[in-house]
Amino acid sequence: MRRKTSREPQAGAALPSVDEVLNGPAARALLPLLGRERVLTMVRALIAAKRVEIAGREGAGIPGRVGLTERLEAELAAMGEAEQRSGVRRVINATGVVVHTNLGRAPLSPRAIEAMKAASGYAAIEYDLAAGSRGSRGDKAVSLLKLLTGAEDALVVNNCAAAALLALSVFARGREVIVSRGELVEIGGDFRIPDILAHSGAVLREVGTTNRTHLRDYESAISERTSLILKVHPSNFRITGFTKTPGTAELAELARASGLTFYEDAGSGALADLAPLGISGEPVIREVVASGADIVSFSGDKLLGGPQSGIVVGREEEVERLRRDPLYRALRADKTMIAALEATLESYARGTAAQEIPVLRMLSATADEIGARSASLAARMRNALGEGSGLHLGGVAGVSAVGGGAAPDSALETALITLEHLHLSDTQLEEKLRSAEPPIISRIESGRVLLDLRTVAEEDEVVLIDAIVKLFN
Ligand SMILES: *Cc1c(COP(=O)(O)O)cnc(C)c1O
């Protein structure tokens, strides 16, 4: 297996061969878990790195063959473990950011998870069980969405970005779309209104200014090239102070009078008014529909609390045009996603969403409730941690965030558990928590690591305690 060795330092001779390491205990343990190809690649990379390391040391302090083999074994085992830990895996979100995009946005309700599992095998996704023949895809979700939003029709695609791309492509390809300058937003780094417009083949016609846009600005921009008026919910930011923008009803009226389509991208959107939970400025979809929007799009995995999905509701004629477009076929939702969405919408239809949907429960938890849970959890954790764990637990008031580019100025009062370690810095402690099983994602503020139980399910408290105790005992 060894290639030409003429340029190797003498110490290279002490390195075990690829085959030797492959036959060692670390590799043999990894082979059934990762497969030969990946283990081989790791072994080669580790030996190559060792060769460079040894060459740099020029004879001084180079361990013998046995020592080198032992080190390679240990490094291979660590690399194999890192590989096994990679990929999509369950974590405990103790950041207090409820709709955390990097951590999978909305955690699903138990019913939605059940529905998703059940749909993983064969499922009647596009099949009419009564008739025994082809049915329409996701028609239950469609009828629930009609019921819950008051819209004439609905369509489900992969995410809200897909919904926007589809709507703009179908209604505005090659024509002008009027948008206020205050709504040319970027959401989450890769969704930018001007870019999605360009991709759909529409021509952007900006009107007004960043802070103020009037109805007459839209009016005077309308020409024979115009096809659509677009209103975008700014989602992750707010302009405050001297501001003005026409409401949905005014724009819908103008569009109707001018023979144009009016499309509102509500972003997160809410099926129920969340103002009682202290969450302001998020459009309630039913109200947007009632105000006359021809089509409205929103995400399924933000405030709605369901799986990743993009939902379009609106007038029958407009939604049907979207459904018939070839692009819809490329953006259509998967069966497990539709199953989870149906189960989530069922909770709203039954009137039990506030109890069943994790996002709504987390948003409605009060600082007092979270404080009581935090104190109890900290006490249990102190008990379980031995004397010399070096970990000190405390408590402090703070704020949680809605996240997901929704309600950026709604700060939710919370109670936090503080963690400090005798010998670890804040960043070292935060990193150590990420290495737990399951990984615990925390945040750091003024030198302390913080856990916010708002985003930790009650049934995960035991898991959290066990994982931390295992790290420090
Ligand atoms: C979040 C958001 C999107 C993108 O939604 P995804 O479901 O993440 O694709 C689009 N528009 C607005 C206004 C948003 O807030």
Side-chain angles (χ1 to χ4, degrees):
M1 281 295 295
R2 306 284 298 275
R3 271 174 286 163
K4 76 172 162 75
T5 54
S6 60
R7 286 198 309 137
E8 274 177 24
Q10 307 96 306
L15 274 170
S17 70
V18 169
D19 279 340
E20 280 170 284
V21 180
L22 268 185
N23 285 317
R28 281 210 308 272
L30 287 175
L31 278 170
L33 300 170
L34 302 179
R36 188 179 154 80
E37 203 55 41
R38 269 191 295 177
V39 179
L40 183 61
T41 306
M42 288 176 184
V43 171
R44 284 194 179 131
L46 288 171
I47 290 180
K50 265 287 169 282
R51 185 166 288 134
V52 172
E53 190 188 317
I54 289 171
R57 287 207 236 153
E58 304 205 332
I62 298 173
R65 191 182 177 85
V66 175
L68 279 174
T69 305
E70 273 171 8
R71 275 197 209 172
L72 281 169
E73 287 281 336
E75 285 167 11
L76 179 61
M79 205 181 218
E81 197 180 317
E83 176 68 15
Q84 282 171 265
R85 281 174 63 87
S86 67
V88 181
R89 54 201 304 268
R90 157 178 159 76
V91 298
I92 290 187
N93 172 14
T95 63
V97 180
V98 177
V99 181
H100 196 307
T101 297
N102 303 144
L103 300 181
R105 287 201 181 154
L108 297 177
S109 71
R111 282 171 194 272
I113 293 168
E114 255 330 294
M116 201 167 212
K117 258 198 222 158
S120 297
Y122 290 119
I125 175 79
E126 235 173 75
Y127 185 80
D128 184 334
L129 281 173
S133 59
R134 182 178 176 166
S136 80
R137 192 175 183 87
D139 55 357
K140 174 80 170 279
V142 169
S143 66
L144 286 167
L145 284 165
K146 282 156 64 175
L147 175 83
L148 294 166
T149 65
E152 291 172 9
D153 200 358
L155 191 68
V156 180
V157 290
N158 265 313
N159 47 43
C160 193
L165 179 67
L166 179 63
L168 293 169
S169 302
V170 169
F171 293 107
R173 194 178 289 132
R175 322 243 343 249
E176 282 186 6
V177 171
I178 305 176
V179 194
S180 161
R181 289 199 166 88
E183 297 174 4
L184 294 174
V185 296
E186 170 179 308
I187 290 153
D190 41 20
F191 180 87
R192 306 174 106 193
I193 293 296
D195 294 350
I196 210 110
L197 270 159
H199 269 279
S200 64
V203 178
L204 170 61
R205 179 79 164 85
E206 304 175 29
V207 295
T209 62
T210 305
N211 58 328
R212 285 172 75 84
T213 304
H214 306 272
L215 192 64
R216 62 171 185 272
D217 295 326
Y218 287 86
E219 245 163 338
S220 52
I222 295 174
S223 73
E224 69 283 359
R225 294 182 299 275
T226 314
S227 65
L228 187 138
I229 295 177
L230 170 64
K231 183 174 177 63
V232 182
H233 182 57
S235 294
N236 50 8
F237 87 114
R238 294 284 184 272
I239 297 174
T240 55
F242 188 54
T243 64
K244 178 167 171 50
T245 181
T248 298
E250 281 175 281
L251 290 174
E253 178 59 41
L254 174 64
R256 193 172 317 115
S258 319
L260 305 173
T261 307
F262 175 55
Y263 164 33
E264 180 160 336
D265 179 10
S268 188
L271 287 183
D273 187 6
L274 301 176
L277 305 183
I279 293 159
S280 54
E282 287 302 321
V284 178
I285 304 301
R286 178 178 279 282
E287 288 169 13
V288 180
V289 170
S291 299
D294 296 310
I295 33 175
V296 185
S297 63
F298 53 104
S299 287
D301 57 354
K302 293 183 181 170
L303 291 176
L304 192 148
Q308 178 189 306
S309 45
I311 298 166
V312 185
V313 297
R315 291 190 202 287
E316 201 171 342
E317 191 192 322
E318 274 79 2
V319 176
E320 189 55 31
R321 272 185 69 187
L322 299 180
R323 192 177 278 121
R324 278 204 303 264
D325 194 89
L327 188 55
Y328 165 63
R329 177 63 180 75
L331 305 174
R332 78 177 186 191
D334 140 82
K335 62 184 176 180
T336 57
M337 177 223 273
I338 294 176
L341 181 62
E342 283 175 359
T344 306
L345 296 172
E346 283 276 14
S347 293
Y348 282 94
R350 275 196 305 273
T352 50
Q355 296 83 53
E356 290 174 4
I357 306 298
V359 164
L360 298 183
R361 283 175 46 177
M362 290 172 180
L363 290 175
S364 65
T366 65
D368 282 349
E369 288 161 4
I370 298 167
R373 282 178 61 200
S374 301
S376 148
L377 186 138
R380 282 178 284 156
M381 191 131 73
R382 276 190 211 102
N383 267 339
L385 283 166
E387 267 302 303
S389 74
L391 202 59
H392 177 76
L393 282 75
V396 69
V399 287
S400 323
V402 177
D409 46 12
S410 300
L412 305 163
E413 311 243 319
T414 194
L416 303 157
I417 297 176
T418 63
L419 293 180
E420 285 164 287
H421 193 274
L422 214 49
H423 308 298
L424 299 176
S425 70
D426 52 359
T427 51
Q428 287 170 326
L429 182 54
E430 184 270 346
E431 183 182 347
K432 197 168 168 73
L433 292 175
R434 276 187 279 120
S435 75
E437 190 48 58
I440 297 162
I441 316 299
S442 61
R443 66 182 147 109
I444 296 174
E445 244 172 60
S446 30
R448 284 181 304 197
V449 170
L450 305 174
L451 303 180
D452 187 341
L453 294 191
R454 181 185 295 280
T455 48
V456 178
E458 275 179 54
E459 55 272 24
D460 280 346
E461 286 181 8
V462 190
V463 183
L464 178 87
I465 295 172
D466 285 354
I468 291 184
V469 168
K470 241 183 239 137
L471 281 182
F472 291 98
N473 269 1

